[in-house]
Amino acid sequence: MRLSDITIHRKLFLLVLILVCGTLITAGFALNFNKSDILEGRKARIQSVVQAGLSQIQALSAHLDKGTISQQQYDRQLLELIHATRFSGSEYLYLFNLDGINVAHPLMPELRGTNQMDMQDEDGTYITREMLEGVKANGSVFWQFRWPKPEGGPAVSKLGYAEQVPGTELVLGSGVYLDDLEAIFQARTNTYLGITLAVLLAALIGTYCIARNITKPVGRLARQMNTLAQGELDVELIDTTRRDEVGDIACAVQVFRDHLIENHRLRLIQEQVIFLETFDPVTRLHNRQALGEAINKEIARHDRDHKQLAVIVIRLDLLHEITIEKGSETRDEVLIALAARIHDKLHADDILARLSENTFGLLLPNVESRESLESNCRQLLETIAQPIPLESHHIQLSGRLGISVFPDDGGYDFQLIGRAESTASLAKRQERDLMFYDPRALNETDHSIELWQEMQKALEQDQFYLVFQPLFDLKDNTLISAEVLIRWEHPEKGFISPAQFIPLAEQSGLISRLDAWVLEAVAKQIRNWQDRQLTPPRIAVNLSGISFLRPDFIDTLTRIYGRYNVSLDHLELELTEGVLIDDLDRISDQLNSIRATGVSISIDDFGTGYSSLSRIKNLAIDNVKIDRSFIDDLDNCAQDLKIVEAIILMAQGLNLSVIAEGVETQEQLTILRQQGCDTVQGFFLSRPLKVDAFEELLEQDLVIEVD
């Protein structure tokens, strides 16, 4: 069993058991060392007595050697010395020679002159022989034997010590009786045992109190954690006021509970956002994003099967007028009824979606022929034209159908939907009920051809110029960057709106050249600022999906900025949501490669239908820009406010910065600041400025007013 498998309560009990055993073992060693210390003290005492006698015998021997005393006097004084030396009542000195002959014994004079080599105690120990062997080997010896006391009685343990008299054949010895050691040791044992038991008892009581103070709240916290893990968030934590580690854990559990509550709230918001990302809240149909994803899935399948699919955009006439006359509730009733009616006429694989206020989108994945498709569209028009009964009256609508077919009319969902929408708009202008996409009908008008030709000349003659719309940081209310926009000043026709020439550039294939011109113009402007010792802000450039997905885009980008010796850290690329519907692995690789150069990435017009937070969370991007359609009515529309709040919360949860575009009122700015938006731009703060005016704004070190 591993230690980690044992409960804290049992671990504490085991710890106490180890401490008790350790204390008892320590006490045992202490008693044993104490006994040894007493015995060493006895040894030191008899050794000092013997050595004192040795010094006296050496003094007598010195007098004998000098002739100051005779041999007879020496022998007499030696006997007197031995007989006179008594200590501690029962201890005495005795004298032997190295042959075991007793020279003098104060208590048994009859032993004098006798050989005592065979003298034994009651245990069979040869007392004299052991003494002389130790002396001959080491010059002195300690040894133990059993011998009766002089006053009689049974033999008791005795410690003997003997040492050879230097320069003689004599051995002087003595001994001390050890019968009192047991009593001393027993008394000290009782004392040690009493102290040890008292200490252990106090330790056990203290340990129990401490263990209870630990195990009880820890067990309570464990139960509370299990309760939280099961999703029950109404848990009362009572240990957060403690100042120990248990209190720290309780505080951490409280923070964990608060995070769970917040995550639960965010999950509800996320579910709402996910629903809004996928479904239209009024009709419960798929929205533009979901329809685009479905189209792409069908395109991937049809690429393998080599089949056709059709995208139909249904533009409803007079729906806007119904809203004005009858109100939004009546409009919603009409839409719900019409959506249910159309849905009943569809096949299981067909997908109906709501694209905008007065537009439906329809995906037909299995198109047999153009004739059968047109026949189905005629039936769809008849279904739409049938009166819709309301409470007090009937409403009859008509529709305009624009049709695009894969693969002839496009290879991506945004192309198929966009071209079907353009065709539906053209059908309304020409008062036709349905039209198939025809690029000649849409683009090859005299005006479009002329504009296309003029745009090529404008690129060659450098008729385009840049304007800069400032972006402001809402944390410190300062200008931090600018979005660069392209403008066209025709030498004869004057200002031409980007809404005219940019869509034409996308349709005619000029958009990549236009993007390259903008990137180079930005690099040139940054170089100009740096040469004039000005600090350039980060510049955001709108980039088309066509340019972004080109295999040579990164080489083109690095070549342009390398030519002007400008760091790509100054550049931010804004991509529309439509770019993200391409192959995710391909997009991710391209984004990672671009980010590696130092360029920042923003997703423009976020929320309009193509992408989702669940899709972009794994992509290397820095910012999301909330589409201005959610900002326009932010202070009046609760639904827009909820969507903006959800986007900000979820984006910042993914460590993405949030930019709101199209801020035109103080109320909108106030709401965005309250919701925690990071950056804003719009006419309320500044219109797009030419370079001179923008530089003046930079030099003013402008700070927006805090409301």
Side-chain angles (χ1 to χ4, degrees), residues 603-626:
I603 301 303
D604 197 12
D605 301 333
F606 187 82
T608 54
Y610 285 109
S611 67
S612 66
L613 289 171
S614 61
R615 185 171 178 86
I616 69 172
K617 68 179 181 180
N618 296 318
L619 298 179
I621 63 175
D622 301 280
N623 313 304
V624 294
K625 297 187 71 172
I626 303 176

Side-chain angles (χ1 to χ4, degrees), residues 369-535:
S369 64
R370 187 184 181 96
E371 291 74 16
S372 63
L373 176 59
E374 184 172 355
S375 174
N376 291 335
C377 290
R378 296 291 180 190
Q379 294 176 9
L380 182 59
L381 288 170
E382 293 176 2
T383 301
I384 295 172
Q386 294 177 9
I388 299 173
L390 298 177
E391 291 184 358
S392 58
H393 56 279
H394 289 68
I395 291 180
Q396 188 170 10
L397 297 176
S398 62
R400 310 288 182 177
L401 272 57
I403 308 164
S404 61
V405 179
F406 170 83
D408 298 338
D409 301 332
Y412 301 99
D413 66 318
F414 62 89
Q415 292 176 330
L416 294 171
I417 295 175
R419 288 168 179 173
E421 285 181 317
S422 299
T423 302
S425 298
L426 182 62
K428 182 177 181 180
R429 291 195 301 270
Q430 296 183 2
E431 298 184 356
R432 297 172 59 181
D433 51 5
L434 69 84
M435 287 184 64
F436 284 86
Y437 171 73
D438 185 349
R440 294 170 299 177
L442 289 172
N443 299 323
E444 291 182 3
T445 63
D446 293 340
H447 175 72
S448 296
I449 294 174
E450 182 182 356
L451 186 63
W452 176 65
Q453 293 171 341
E454 293 289 347
M455 187 162 47
Q456 295 184 76
K457 292 180 182 179
L459 283 169
E460 296 169 358
Q461 298 174 5
D462 210 22
Q463 296 175 10
F464 294 101
Y465 64 93
L466 300 180
V467 294
F468 301 82
Q469 182 166 39
L471 278 73
F472 294 87
D473 188 344
L474 285 183
K475 292 183 177 62
D476 54 17
N477 305 303
T478 58
L479 188 154
I480 58 169
S481 62
E483 178 182 359
V484 68
L485 304 170
I486 188 171
R487 294 293 184 260
W488 183 8
E489 191 74 31
H490 194 277
E492 297 176 359
K493 299 179 180 179
F495 179 78
I496 298 178
S497 171
Q500 288 182 272
F501 67 82
I502 288 181
L504 181 59
E506 291 176 343
Q507 296 169 4
S508 62
L510 286 177
I511 191 64
S512 294
R513 290 182 59 190
L514 208 59
D515 285 339
W517 185 93
V518 172
L519 290 171
E520 182 161 1
V522 170
K524 186 187 301 183
Q525 184 60 62
I526 293 174
R527 179 72 272 159
N528 176 270
W529 283 332
Q530 291 178 336
D531 291 343
R532 293 160 51 200
Q533 306 301 314
L534 297 177
T535 301

Side-chain angles (χ1 to χ4, degrees), residues 12-13 15-16 19-20 197-215:
L12 291 173
F13 177 79
L15 179 61
V16 171
L19 292 175
V20 169
L197 290 177
V199 170
L200 284 177
L201 180 60
L204 288 173
I205 294 174
T207 302
Y208 172 78
C209 295
I210 293 173
R212 183 176 177 81
N213 187 260
I214 295 174
T215 58

